[in-house]
């Protein structure tokens, strides 16, 4: 017996597909106009291009009673990732990344936010523009040739204290600048020069890095929490970075509200 339904959402369990009816289980059926959705985190900018959720990424309030949510539980298979998107390509223009982070890990390397390429199945870094954590200290990286040469700035001070901090990595022309908690740390120039950052393989990964790996796998997973990640093709000034930090830090307090309801 055949049945006709209008619209429904079916969640696959990885084994077999059955549709239940009042009389039991229907085993003979056909599907028309099938649409497949992948779980993703929304892009809050006007571009509306979300991040795919790979594995299981935990979402929890940044503080007791706070509205703002942080992400944690990152691993080689748990991360947020956006496939290649030509609108995001940095090229030779200005760019910045900014992210809030919290950890108590003082050793090893961990990636907060990574924009880099490398064709799938290779170990190529592509043209990275990253904020990385190295032995408890933030470091900004940029390279147009897979780290043969590079520009970088190291904070050199441990922020692995279990408190929330903010890192910003800015490309202004041929100069790269690192800011921590709204304060200018240092700059570097000369290696990337006028060469383009990003290519057709470049992907954004939160909580890990791509380096030629297929979706669902990443390197250098972040051990801690991350929030308010963003990337853009502009170069905020020192004053703008400071203002963003001062405006946003209150969101990490207990019972802080940041959502309009109704």
């Amino acid at each position: 017996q055949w049945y006709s339904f209008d619209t429904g959402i079916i969640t696959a369990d990885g084994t077999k597909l059955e549709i239940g009816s009042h009389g039991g289980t229907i085993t003979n059926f056909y599907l028309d106009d099938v649409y497949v959705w992948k779980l993703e985190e929304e892009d809050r900018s006007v571009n509306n291009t979300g991040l795919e959720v790979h594995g299981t990424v935990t979402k929890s309030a940044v503080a007791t009673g706070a509205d703002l949510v942080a992400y944690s539980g990152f691993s080689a298979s748990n991360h947020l990732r956006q496939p290649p998107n030509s609108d995001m390509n940095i090229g030779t223009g200005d760019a910045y990344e900014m992210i809030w982070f919290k950890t108590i890990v003082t050793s090893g390397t961990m990636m907060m936010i990574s924009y880099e390429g490398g064709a799938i199945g290779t170990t190529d870094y592509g043209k990275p523009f990253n904020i990385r954590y190295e032995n408890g200290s933030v470091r900004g990286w940029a390279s147009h040739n897979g780290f043969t040469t590079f520009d970088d700035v190291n904070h050199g001070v441990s922020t692995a204290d279990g408190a929330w901090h903010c890192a910003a990595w800015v490309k202004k022309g041929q100069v790269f600048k690192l800011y921590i908690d709204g304060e200018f740390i240092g700059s570097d120039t000369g290696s990337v020069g006028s060469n383009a950052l990003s290519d057709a393989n470049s992907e954004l990964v939160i909580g890990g890095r791509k380096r030629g790996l297929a979706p669902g796998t990443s390197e250098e997973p972040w051990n801690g929490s991350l929030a308010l990640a963003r990337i853009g093709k502009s170069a905020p000034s020192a004053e703008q970075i400071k203002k963003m930090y001062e405006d946003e830090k209150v969101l990490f307090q207990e019972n802080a509200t940041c959502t309009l309801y109704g």
Side-chain angles (χ1 to χ4, degrees), residues 64-109:
T64 302
D67 279 350
L68 184 63
V69 169
Y71 300 89
S72 60
F74 298 102
S75 71
S77 56
N78 299 334
H79 56 276
L80 305 174
R81 179 166 172 167
Q82 185 179 103
N85 174 5
S86 60
D87 289 337
M88 190 181 288
N89 282 0
I90 297 170
T92 59
D94 295 342
Y96 81 101
E97 294 172 334
M98 192 168 179
I99 194 166
W100 285 78
F101 65 95
K102 180 174 73 169
T103 188
I104 58 173
V105 177
T106 59
S107 62
T109 57

Side-chain angles (χ1 to χ4, degrees), residues 14-131:
T15 56
K16 59 184 178 179
L17 177 61
E18 296 178 340
I19 297 179
S21 71
H22 294 296
T25 299
I26 303 170
T27 56
N28 295 318
F29 56 89
Y30 72 94
L31 302 177
D32 190 18
D33 294 328
V34 177
Y35 299 90
V36 179
W37 286 272
K38 185 174 180 63
L39 186 64
E40 70 173 33
E41 289 299 313
E42 290 187 56
D43 173 8
R44 305 297 180 176
S45 77
V46 296
N47 297 290
N48 194 29
T49 306
L51 292 168
E52 293 181 352
V53 180
H54 293 276
T56 301
V57 178
T58 301
K59 296 172 65 174
S60 56
V62 297
T64 302
D67 279 350
L68 184 63
V69 169
Y71 300 89
S72 60
F74 298 102
S75 71
S77 56
N78 299 334
H79 56 276
L80 305 174
R81 179 166 172 167
Q82 185 179 103
N85 174 5
S86 60
D87 289 337
M88 190 181 288
N89 282 0
I90 297 170
T92 59
D94 295 342
Y96 81 101
E97 294 172 334
M98 192 168 179
I99 194 166
W100 285 78
F101 65 95
K102 180 174 73 169
T103 188
I104 58 173
V105 177
T106 59
S107 62
T109 57
M110 308 184 294
M111 192 66 70
M112 298 183 202
I113 179 171
S114 168
Y115 186 62
E116 65 185 22
I120 300 298
T122 71
T123 57
D124 182 13
Y125 290 104
K127 301 179 179 181
F129 184 62
N130 302 331
I131 302 178

